[in-house]
Amino acid sequence: PEIGCLSVIVLGASGDLAKKKTFPALFHLYRQGFIQSQDVHIFGYARTAISDHDLRSRIRGYLTPCKGFEETHEEDVAQFLRLIKYVSGAYDKEEGFRLLDKAISEYELSKNSTEGSSRRLFYLALPPSVYPPVCKMIRSYCMNKSDLGGWTRIVVEKPFGRDLASAEELSAQIGELFDEPQIYRIDHYLGKELVQNLMVLRFANRFFLPLWNRDNISNIQIVFREDFGTDGRGGYFDQYGIIRDIIQNHLLQVLCLVAMEKPVSLKPEHVRDEKVKVLQSVLPIEDNEVVLGQYEGYTDDPTVPDNSNTPTFATMVLRIHNERWEGVPFIMKAGKALNSRKAEIRVQFKDVPGDIYKCQKQGRNEFVIRLQPSEAMYMKLTVKQPGLEMTTAQSELDLSYGQRYQETIIPEAYERLILDTIRGDQQHFVRRDELKAAWEIFTPLLHRIDRGEMKPLPYKPGSRGPEEADKLAQKAGYVQTHGYIWIPPTL
Ligand code: BG6
């Protein structure tokens, strides 16, 4: 473990991301002892001229109690907030960043610098349009003091551009100022417990090794559903749409971990090399394997143009051209304002060859990884219906986390990822070439939608989305199980 002081600088300190995710995650890390008062200081930076006190009171209400520490919550919050200082300034002016550097340096000096180091983590909770000027300012005025050792890292979050060209431009601008090991591109899905479990599951279990391929698997679905619309984010959302908001990043990252080959080792570069390889094997998306939707009422939001062509729902088939996956459709589905909120990976196996039970069966074997809510993995399988009759029934082997790991606190994605940025572990962050490969897959389709050549179908809020999406999944080979629903066990 590194000693010495750590400065976490949250730029865009009073924005939504900072308030809802960054500060609460830092608070939980603090409460659990991963960052400690004696060696951490947190700086908020934004344009508005407010006091330390103002910033603290804006954040306070978002700091939820850590499980198990409810009783001392008030006190913990007070202690944590004392670590936060606020500096105001523009995002493209020397002055503010010089002030920021001064504040950080003073703190570093006060921590007896001869023993300490200068570790500076800049969290850009900002719109990407200001990434380039902010990075430039940090590079010019706020780098760690090299005589003390330590490091400077920056954390950025999507949207990284709107298409291949704009993403590459942004990468080049940041890349001129910082080296790849200093850049942490967050995709918060990579911080979810069951996403982090995917590699362990696949590569540490003999069960899965021989089955995980085109010989046994019929199709794989990666699904994200939300039961609310764009709720006040319409203006942002309309610029991007569901493919850029969810599929090109969150679901594609999941696809990588489901489909990639075994990495040489667990070193971050080895893992990311494999992710890039599988992304590069994805074939161009066919128009007839895409269904787009837009929920009725979406354009009622005053910040959304009446004639918006932006999809709030999309299903598409991705095909991976390699030895393991040729012929296995990866059905990606994401939608807002649907009938439920969940994210899952559904691996459907092929039919049993020469099946003597075929006429009695309800469905195929499936292995489902429920990312949220109610984290679980379950295997749908056919068993004899218990009792006197010699019939079959669909059942499941169920590993529900809430039941199996009752005592364990499952950390929030941001908590885990911020801890990784402090520790310097880039495995769960998106590398520049990975981002490029991801944009290469979707850019032609996105351009066709942007030009209005593909139109979203209307669907009712609270529905399953357009019916055409279910038909597409069926056409791709997915067989729905009838008369069986998995019910998460109650405690
Ligand atoms: C964000 C998207 O990246 O992920 C949002 O911009 C979406 O539109 C959110 O609601 C979903 O994250 P989670 O962790 O709630 O599934």
Side-chain angles (χ1 to χ4, degrees):
E2 289 173 272
I3 47 146
C5 53
L6 166 70
S7 305
V8 180
I9 303 101
V10 183
L11 299 122
S14 48
D16 248 25
L17 176 65
K19 279 191 306 207
K20 291 186 182 157
K21 301 290 181 187
T22 320
F23 285 116
L26 287 168
F27 172 61
H28 281 194
L29 289 174
Y30 170 75
R31 185 59 201 89
Q32 295 169 82
F34 289 106
I35 54 178
Q36 286 165 353
S37 331
Q38 62 270 27
D39 45 38
V40 73
H41 219 79
I42 300 171
F43 298 86
Y45 184 92
R47 283 175 307 194
T48 339
I50 52 169
S51 65
D52 291 352
H53 176 79
D54 292 337
L55 178 68
R56 293 173 188 166
S57 36
R58 287 186 192 191
I59 298 167
R60 189 188 304 269
Y62 293 92
L63 305 177
T64 50
C66 264
K67 215 167 152 188
F69 296 104
E70 289 83 358
E71 279 179 14
T72 53
H73 184 57
E74 288 300 310
E75 204 178 303
D76 296 337
V77 167
Q79 278 178 16
F80 172 75
L81 289 177
R82 259 180 255 140
L83 300 176
I84 304 179
K85 268 193 127 7
Y86 182 73
V87 178
S88 75
Y91 292 124
D92 55 356
K93 299 256 162 28
E94 187 180 326
E95 202 189 336
F97 284 87
R98 280 196 190 277
L99 274 177
L100 182 60
D101 180 63
K102 196 164 152 251
I104 306 171
S105 303
E106 272 167 14
Y107 156 68
E108 286 173 347
L109 274 173
S110 76
K111 287 282 158 185
N112 189 1
S113 54
T114 45
E115 282 173 35
S117 63
S118 166
R119 295 184 286 155
R120 299 184 173 191
L121 182 71
F122 290 87
Y123 195 110
L124 277 61
L126 292 168
S129 53
V130 296
Y131 289 173
V134 166
C135 287
K136 218 172 179 165
M137 291 295 131
I138 297 172
R139 185 84 193 96
S140 309
Y141 306 108
C142 298
M143 297 300 281
N144 64 300
K145 301 294 165 247
S146 51
D147 49 332
L148 293 181
W151 42 254
T152 298
R153 295 180 184 144
I154 60 159
V155 185
V156 286
E157 183 150 358
K158 64 133 219 236
F160 305 115
R162 296 191 78 250
D163 59 5
L164 181 59
S166 51
E168 279 289 278
E169 193 188 331
L170 187 61
S171 290
Q173 286 168 329
I174 300 179
E176 269 178 27
L177 301 163
F178 291 96
D179 296 333
E180 194 57 28
Q182 297 176 297
I183 306 171
Y184 287 72
R185 295 181 197 83
I186 280 202
D187 183 309
H188 80 283
Y189 267 59
L190 291 175
K192 293 195 187 266
E193 183 65 43
L194 285 198
V195 175
Q196 299 215 327
N197 183 47
L198 283 168
M199 275 182 50
V200 182
L201 192 72
R202 287 190 54 204
F203 302 121
N205 291 293
R206 184 83 196 213
F207 275 146
F208 296 109
L209 302 178
L211 295 181
W212 214 256
N213 55 46
R214 63 193 297 269
D215 298 334
N216 302 288
I217 293 175
S218 159
N219 60 82
I220 297 182
Q221 292 192 57
I222 302 176
V223 178
F224 166 96
R225 308 166 150 273
E226 258 175 3
D227 54 2
F228 48 91
T230 51
D231 287 0
R233 290 170 77 227
Y236 152 80
F237 188 88
D238 200 66
Q239 301 291 309
Y240 292 94
I242 197 80
I243 300 175
R244 293 184 177 96
D245 192 45
I246 304 288
I247 302 183
Q248 182 266 353
N249 33 70
H250 303 328
L251 298 195
L252 195 66
Q253 284 297 323
V254 172
L255 175 137
C256 285
L257 295 167
V258 170
M260 73 186 199
E261 296 301 314
K262 174 149 69 180
V264 175
S265 78
L266 292 175
K267 291 206 181 100
E269 298 323 320
H270 286 156
V271 174
R272 301 195 295 178
D273 288 346
E274 292 306 328
K275 290 169 73 185
V276 174
K277 260 165 66 188
V278 77
L279 290 174
Q280 289 174 338
S281 310
V282 174
L283 294 173
I285 301 167
E286 301 282 344
D287 284 1
N288 63 1
E289 293 199 311
V290 178
V291 172
L292 305 176
Q294 186 186 80
Y295 66 85
E296 291 169 6
Y298 167 69
T299 56
D300 294 349
D301 181 329
T303 56
V304 172
D306 290 341
N307 62 352
S308 168
N309 196 48
T310 302
T312 60
F313 174 101
T315 295
M316 68 202 56
V317 180
L318 296 189
R319 297 188 179 269
I320 299 173
H321 183 66
N322 68 16
E323 197 175 314
R324 185 186 291 273
W325 296 117
E326 168 105 54
V328 180
F330 283 75
I331 306 165
M332 316 290 275
K333 186 190 286 190
K336 299 231 168 222
L338 297 177
N339 56 350
S340 61
R341 171 175 178 258
K342 69 176 178 189
E344 65 183 22
I345 305 161
R346 186 171 293 267
V347 180
Q348 186 173 71
F349 288 84
K350 293 185 170 176
D351 288 325
V352 172
D355 192 356
I356 52 175
Y357 289 104
K358 191 169 171 125
C359 57
Q360 307 181 5
K361 266 164 95 168
Q362 283 171 289
R364 290 173 159 180
N365 284 142
E366 282 180 4
F367 179 52
V368 184
I369 301 162
R370 169 69 74 88
L371 307 180
Q372 66 187 37
S374 312
E375 289 95 339
M377 293 184 264
Y378 59 95
M379 276 176 181
K380 284 167 62 172
L381 69 176
T382 301
V383 297
K384 183 185 109 39
Q385 173 70 49
L388 279 177
E389 296 299 333
M390 197 53 213
T391 55
T392 65
Q394 185 92 5
S395 190
E396 71 281 312
L397 286 172
D398 185 336
L399 174 57
S400 277
Y401 276 43
Q403 191 182 47
R404 180 67 178 77
Y405 300 111
Q406 291 182 24
E407 304 305 320
T408 312
I409 303 164
I410 297 185
E412 232 268 305
Y414 280 91
E415 242 171 274
R416 199 178 325 239
L417 294 174
I418 292 176
L419 188 58
D420 284 346
T421 65
I422 296 170
R423 290 177 168 165
D425 182 349
Q426 289 193 305
Q427 176 176 330
H428 305 292
F429 293 82
V430 181
R431 203 167 66 185
R432 179 172 171 176
D433 53 348
E434 205 180 328
L435 179 65
K436 175 167 184 259
W439 277 116
E440 277 166 351
I441 297 172
F442 291 98
T443 295
L445 170 65
L446 288 165
H447 283 174
R448 286 198 292 280
I449 301 171
D450 293 345
R451 288 194 300 263
E453 291 165 20
M454 291 178 84
K455 298 251 180 270
L457 302 164
Y459 64 94
K460 294 244 172 309
S463 69
R464 281 182 59 79
E467 272 172 31
E468 284 76 358
D470 288 331
K471 289 191 194 131
L472 175 65
Q474 265 171 34
K475 205 178 92 199
Y478 172 66
V479 180
Q480 210 184 334
T481 306
H482 291 286
Y484 163 92
I485 316 177
W486 173 73
I487 299 166
T490 44
L491 295 179

